[in-house]
């Protein structure tokens, strides 16, 4: 299969492309490199540097490359930034996504796997969170992703465009070749590893008085390779029907302090921490139910252990001390 991966120069996109190649698919990455890295694109991948708003290039790429399916990962994805700049998030995540769908229609490409987010749920009352939980996003990032999911539903209804929407919880870890390199970095595991590497002074813990076992927030982490494998399973199942799946660890999750302690154990280095006030809108627990994708697609998340996740990310960081920067 010839697969177009939008945002394929990003953290998750690079590993998805790697796994597609491993399964003998042909991959074309479409990325404007505003957040991604040219070095994160595998040599065997054909690369088109362009924006989703460039409708002519997008449509030409789908036609010239004879694309059979799309994995759509290109997006703006910082919650705080989305609150400050909602117009940007609706422009990139909704308008840009609609440009992609129209280009797919024009070129008779009828299968898409969408990189969505648990932020569509907002703050659910029940855990673990199932796909049937109500959607009440609390920020423009989650709202824009949900808006595109709605568009996918109606495009399927009107035009027969099949989709799988994968709602990520927290991707983490690295493959041997590709890892997490963001500026600014906002994710707990790489931030804590940066402290271990001497690149930050301490880890900030935003509240230690939550109703959890150790008072810190509990979150769901899934290894990026397991996440990538879920995309391929979803892609292969699109002939059957459109659907939505959660992607997480499928367990009880891990608290902020458990992550910090695990990083200290793996790296053998002290991890200074500082407790600050809670951040507005941070729920005590965010953990996914993954029973649906396991039952329907037989997904078995690989490397699903917090220490294994951290060890892979630490090894990649040591091999790439400046990330993808030259």
């Amino acid at each position: 299969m010839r697969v177009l991966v939008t945002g394929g120069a990003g953290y998750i996109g690079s590993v998805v492309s790697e796994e597609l190649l491993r399964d003998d698919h042909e991959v074309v990455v479409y990325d404007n490199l505003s957040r991604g890295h040219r070095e994160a694109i595998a040599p065997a991948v054909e690369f088109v540097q362009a924006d989703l708003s460039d409708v002519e290039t997008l449509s030409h790429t789908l036609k010239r490359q004879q694309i059979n399916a799309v994995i759509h990962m290109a997006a703006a994805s910082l919650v705080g930034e989305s609150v400050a700049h909602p117009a940007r998030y609706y422009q990139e995540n909704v308008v840009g996504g609609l440009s992609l769908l129209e280009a797919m229609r024009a070129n008779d490409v009828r299968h898409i796997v969408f990189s969505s987010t648990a932020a569509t749920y907002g703050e659910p009352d029940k855990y673990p969170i199932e796909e049937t939980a109500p959607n009440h996003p609390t920020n423009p990032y989650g709202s824009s992703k949900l808006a595109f999911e709605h568009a996918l539903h109606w495009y399927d209804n009107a035009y027969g465009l099949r989709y799988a929407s994968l709602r990520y919880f927290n991707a983490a870890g690295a493959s041997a070749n590709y890892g997490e390199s963001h500026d600014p970095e906002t994710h707990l595991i790489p931030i804590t590893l940066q402290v271990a590497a001497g690149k930050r002074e301490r880890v900030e813990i935003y509240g230690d008085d939550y109703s959890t076992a150790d008072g810190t927030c509990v979150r769901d982490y899934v290894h990026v390779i397991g996440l990538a494998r879920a995309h391929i399973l979803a892609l292969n199942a699109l002939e059957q029907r459109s659907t939505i799946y959660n992607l997480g660890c499928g367990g009880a999750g891990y608290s902020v302090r458990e992550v910090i302690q695990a990083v200290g154990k793996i790296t053998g280095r002290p991890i200074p921490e500082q407790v600050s006030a809670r951040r507005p809108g941070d729920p005590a627990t965010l953990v996914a139910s993954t029973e649906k994708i396991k039952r329907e697609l037989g997904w078995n998340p690989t490397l699903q252990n917090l220490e294994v996740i951290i060890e892979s990310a630490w090894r990649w960081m040591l091999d790439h001390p400046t990330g993808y920067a030259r």
Side-chain angles (χ1 to χ4, degrees), residues 3 5 15-27 71 229 231-232 235:
V3 183
V5 181
V15 181
V16 168
S17 298
E18 185 177 39
E19 291 300 311
L20 285 166
L21 292 171
R22 194 184 309 278
D23 283 10
D24 295 324
H25 295 291
E26 297 175 83
V27 180
I71 296 180
R229 299 307 307 176
H231 287 73
I232 297 172
L235 187 65

Side-chain angles (χ1 to χ4, degrees), residues 82-96:
S82 78
V83 174
H85 304 287
R88 176 182 178 186
Y89 275 67
Y90 279 90
Q91 183 67 41
E92 293 194 28
N93 296 353
V94 181
V95 178

Side-chain angles (χ1 to χ4, degrees), residues 18 61 66 74 83 114 120 163 176 201 245 266 269 281 283 303:
E18 185 177 39
T61 299
Q66 298 181 311
V83 174
F114 174 49
T120 61
Y163 70 90
E201 290 186 4
Y245 294 116
I266 293 297
R269 302 184 184 186
L303 308 172

